[in-house]
Amino acid sequence: MRALELLAPAKNLEYGIAAIDHGADAVYIGAPRFGARAAVGNSVEDIRRLCDYAHPFGVKVYVTVNTIVYDEELDDVRLLLKDLQEANVDAILVQDMSILKLLQDISLTSHHSPLTSISLHASTQTDNRTPEKVRWLCDMGFSRVVLARELSLDEIREIHREVPDVELEVFVHGALCVSYSGLCYASQHCFGRSANRGECAQFCRMKFSLQDAKGREVVHDRYLLSLKDMNRIDHLEELIEAGATSFKIEGRLKDLSYVKNVTAAYSQRLNALIRRHPDRYCRSSLGVCSYAFTPDLNRTFNRGYTSYFLQGRQPDIASMDTPKAMGAFVGTVKEMRHDSFNVAGVACFANGDGLCFLNEERQLVGFRANKVVGNRIFPYRMPQGLKAGVRLYRNNDQDFDRLMSKPSATRRIPIRLALRAVADGFELSASLSGMPCSSVVHISAEHLPAQKPPRDNIIRQLTKLGDTIYSCEEVEVPDDFNYFIPNSLLSDMRRQLVEMLLTSTADNAVSPIVHKSIPSSPPSYPYRYQYNISNHLSQAFYGASEQSAYELKGGDGPIMQCRHCIRYALGACVKHGGQHPSWQEPLSLVLGDGRRFPLEFDCKNCQMNVYAP
């Protein structure tokens, strides 16, 4: 039976606990430093507390240590790795291969086994899109590879077929980088903020004009590199059948409402899939979630949705009108007055809702609903460009935000209890539903006959699990059990059993963490490495002649490598049935300040490259 994992983002300890409560099987969180989202680092103590909360549910905690590292930082990384081991984290996400060497050294000096005490996951920043690359990472000691977001089902299936002995993690929801991860140097080039150091300035969310070789403007001021958000909730079964086992939600910079809503929506969908195939799949953690709301992906931050390249190249993956969240369509403006308007549709509105529309220049205009009377909306100030027939969107839902600001989910692990008499007292055992493991508490006590049937009181006392993480499905008491047991003794047995369960659950996880050994001499690297060698350990690892990180020495290659193609998006890709373009190439993206970024269309590999001016 395959264990399926829903992997949710944890901006911090609070968000991580919320993700677990709302159905995550694993969470990923940033370390104090060296994570690909530098703005959301966390103390090791908070990570330790998150592990303590997660592990009784069988939930795993993965820590991002996935930036490139400079020589002067290696000692700090070594200390961090030791601290994370002591915090009992389950895995780390890695981009810089110097970390493998550091882990080897830690194992040798602490007399550990050659198996890493922390499982290694190859971050998507290592550009994982071919079977050869994934096989190499597997041979290097990585138990899991996070695949490039751009891969199709067929490509994922091929990787799983060629490398079946490594876990495959795929993104299923959230914001999309337009460049292959790890191969974007635009932010570093333009702003001195490296994406590979966790400081991306979101060059791809900027407005560009498109000019041809003669300086003629093909497109004026649009967000040509800004993509919609990924949404693959309707494709989970296809991804599972292709070989993926972990389904990752992007969003360590998103708010708490996003984490709760998206995690709950995907958790419910996975559960529904498992109910259809109970003999084939199960969740990789324990617990049943109850929600105080109905998950709805359209009511949380999004730029519009796309399944991206999952089923091949699609025409509508970009959000060229705006990089901001438009939210859900709520109706069409019907009648205008000087201070208000009404909306044709079935949506309900609330005072304070954030609404928006695209004006005639296709610019996003946003405003607040100051007062709502039925379907009539009174803005604080009537927005310019609003008129009858305009499609209206809600990007801030006051009712939903209020609901999500309160406690909105609980998670409990169902257990079955069994009480029996033994020669010198009583034994109370517990088993987790669907799990072979059990815990047993023995208490010495005299066998005193009960003056009235004890069953009802025994069940009442033993099921008082209160605010623990357990709920009792059944208490088994033999039919001939007729002994008096004081309530205080039943309470002691129940309390001891809960403590025992809390310490043993993680050891009996549905999906044990995989540890692999790191080879002393790495197999030869199957590619020319892409500019990301930033310290002497990585240089030696790859057998490279120099440190080639763009952040250290620049480079003359592309600053972005994209599967998204502007030529295709504009309907001018002849290879895919488009019209022959009227412009003269090469094309260039032009920022408002006049900087030009030449484009190269690598049609053989179906890739668009962006170059520095």
Side-chain angles (χ1 to χ4, degrees), residues 344-369:
V346 296
C348 296
F349 300 94
N351 296 347
D353 275 355
L355 303 170
C356 61
F357 64 96
L358 291 171
N359 65 18
E360 290 182 342
E361 289 75 38
R362 299 199 65 78
Q363 295 175 330
L364 189 70
V365 179
F367 62 97
R368 288 275 182 179

Side-chain angles (χ1 to χ4, degrees), residues 72-86:
E72 61 270 20
E73 297 170 331
L74 290 172
D75 287 342
D76 290 341
V77 175
R78 182 182 287 106
L79 291 174
L80 174 63
L81 295 175
K82 289 182 178 179
D83 288 342
L84 292 176
Q85 285 182 324
E86 293 174 1

Side-chain angles (χ1 to χ4, degrees), residues 60 289 360 382 414 432:
K60 299 181 179 65
C289 298
E360 290 182 342
M382 288 291 285
L432 306 180

